[in-house]
Amino acid sequence: KKRKYELGRPPANTKLGQKRIHAVRTRGGNRKFRALRLDHGNFSWGSESITRKTRVMDVVYNASNNELVRTKTLVKNCIVQVDSNPFRQWYESHYATPLGRKKGAKLTEAEEAELNKKRSKHQEKKMEARKATGKTTPGLDEQFVTGRLYACISSRPGQSGRCDGYILEGK
């Protein structure tokens, strides 16, 4: 006789697309959230210690199977490209320094006003101290110019119904 505890369920094969999540009842009346499609997630920028919700744009690499890249399947540890705007906006407001701009490119008046807005002396002093420490790696700078950052998914979308991860930095 087959037992309930022996059952296996079909894989979620979470794809890139408009959010669609099914709740699955599991043992003990608990629930798993089976993400069938996802397009957003929380991604963390480790060196700056911030996390922002951002759009997942593309699956670019998967160590386990190239088929998962072609079909844009989201699994744990796959490398994706995410939208860099939330991180760029935070960086520019935190350090009052433009990020992800082409060399010699002029800022719009709105962006110029945001970076050079009137601040108190205390705020000015704080910003100057931050500017000394706020350096990004050249590889990350290049990615900010393109508007997309490489990130790794650290959650399990088919189990938790979320697509969370961290931005890849360094080499």
Side-chain angles (χ1 to χ4, degrees):
K1 180 184 173 188
K2 292 189 175 72
R3 306 287 178 173
K4 174 73 172 163
Y5 59 75
E6 294 172 337
L7 82 88
R9 295 189 182 91
N13 290 336
T14 308
K15 299 283 193 271
L16 204 52
Q18 186 64 39
K19 183 172 164 180
R20 181 182 292 177
I21 297 173
H22 288 179
V24 177
R25 186 194 179 274
T26 59
R27 196 155 178 179
N30 297 310
R31 295 162 68 126
K32 283 184 179 179
F33 297 97
R34 190 75 80 232
L36 304 176
R37 291 194 208 140
L38 284 173
D39 58 351
H40 280 78
N42 277 324
F43 287 88
S44 170
W45 187 359
S47 64
E48 297 294 339
S49 303
I50 64 147
T51 301
R52 290 288 177 268
K53 182 176 182 171
T54 183
R55 194 161 61 97
V56 179
M57 300 174 109
D58 196 12
V59 178
V60 292
Y61 178 74
N62 193 316
S64 60
N65 192 346
N66 279 332
E67 180 83 359
L68 300 177
V69 176
R70 193 178 57 75
T71 57
K72 297 189 184 329
T73 303
L74 299 172
V75 293
K76 183 176 172 156
N77 261 24
C78 75
I79 307 301
V80 294
Q81 280 187 327
V82 297
D83 182 21
S84 69
N85 278 334
F87 298 103
R88 184 180 54 76
Q89 287 166 353
W90 174 85
Y91 187 92
E92 289 179 351
S93 68
H94 188 76
Y95 291 107
T97 315
L99 176 69
R101 309 285 192 223
K102 289 187 172 70
K103 291 272 191 279
K106 292 275 186 269
L107 298 171
T108 64
E109 286 164 17
E111 291 167 336
E112 196 69 48
E114 179 63 33
L115 292 174
N116 300 325
K117 68 181 177 192
K118 193 160 171 54
R119 295 184 173 91
S120 65
K121 281 197 175 90
H122 175 72
Q123 238 0 49
E124 285 290 337
K125 196 173 165 186
K126 196 157 78 170
M127 285 297 170
E128 289 307 314
R130 281 181 184 169
K131 281 181 186 176
T133 61
K135 297 281 185 277
T136 59
T137 59
L140 213 52
D141 273 337
E142 264 174 41
Q143 290 176 46
F144 272 109
V145 170
T146 64
R148 294 173 167 216
L149 298 173
Y150 287 115
C152 181
I153 295 177
S154 57
S155 67
R156 298 171 68 197
Q159 304 287 322
S160 66
R162 292 161 175 261
C163 179
D164 302 337
Y166 54 92
I167 287 171
L168 297 173
E169 301 178 79
K171 289 186 166 48

